[in-house]
Amino acid sequence: MRAVRGPLTPPSRWPLLMSLVSIRDLRVAFDGVPVLHGIDFDIAPGEAVGMVGESGCGKSTILRALGRQLRPLSGTIETGGRDVASAAALTALRARVARIAPQLSGR
């Protein structure tokens, strides 16, 4: 682990005003049954985002779609202005996203 001092900044090749991740009108279905409807959000360079919610509300589904482990029905997912359907954009995104599994209580 290393300490980070100062603001986190994106590589110089990324436009500063562009979102690191941009999701627009994301729609996902399982076996033809829609489970996510029109999800929109942006993550700015240097921003840390956490998703919190009840079991089954779509947190893992969004992350799976973000990492292309699940193919969306429609919508766009971009990183640095590039669609994550491209291998280069997906590799760059996966290097910057962390997923922490919940800790379950044994009580």
Side-chain angles (χ1 to χ4, degrees), residues 2-26:
R2 65 185 176 95
V4 178
R5 289 185 167 72
L8 298 176
T9 56
S12 60
R13 65 184 178 275
W14 287 5
L16 292 177
L17 298 177
M18 185 176 290
S19 296
L20 175 64
V21 175
S22 179
I23 294 180
R24 292 286 170 267
D25 197 30
L26 180 65

Side-chain angles (χ1 to χ4, degrees), residues 9-89:
T9 56
S12 60
R13 65 184 178 275
W14 287 5
L16 292 177
L17 298 177
M18 185 176 290
S19 296
L20 175 64
V21 175
S22 179
I23 294 180
R24 292 286 170 267
D25 197 30
L26 180 65
R27 296 174 188 276
V28 177
F30 291 124
D31 296 325
V33 177
V35 294
L36 291 179
H37 315 272
I39 304 297
D40 293 296
F41 68 88
D42 293 297
I43 301 172
E47 186 175 35
V49 175
M51 287 192 285
V52 179
E54 294 188 26
S55 179
C57 72
K59 302 175 302 289
S60 295
T61 303
I62 291 170
L63 287 175
R64 289 176 59 205
L66 185 65
R68 297 301 281 191
Q69 296 151 335
L70 182 63
R71 187 174 300 269
L73 288 173
S74 64
T76 59
I77 304 171
E78 295 181 347
T79 181
R82 297 180 295 174
D83 191 323
V84 297
S86 79

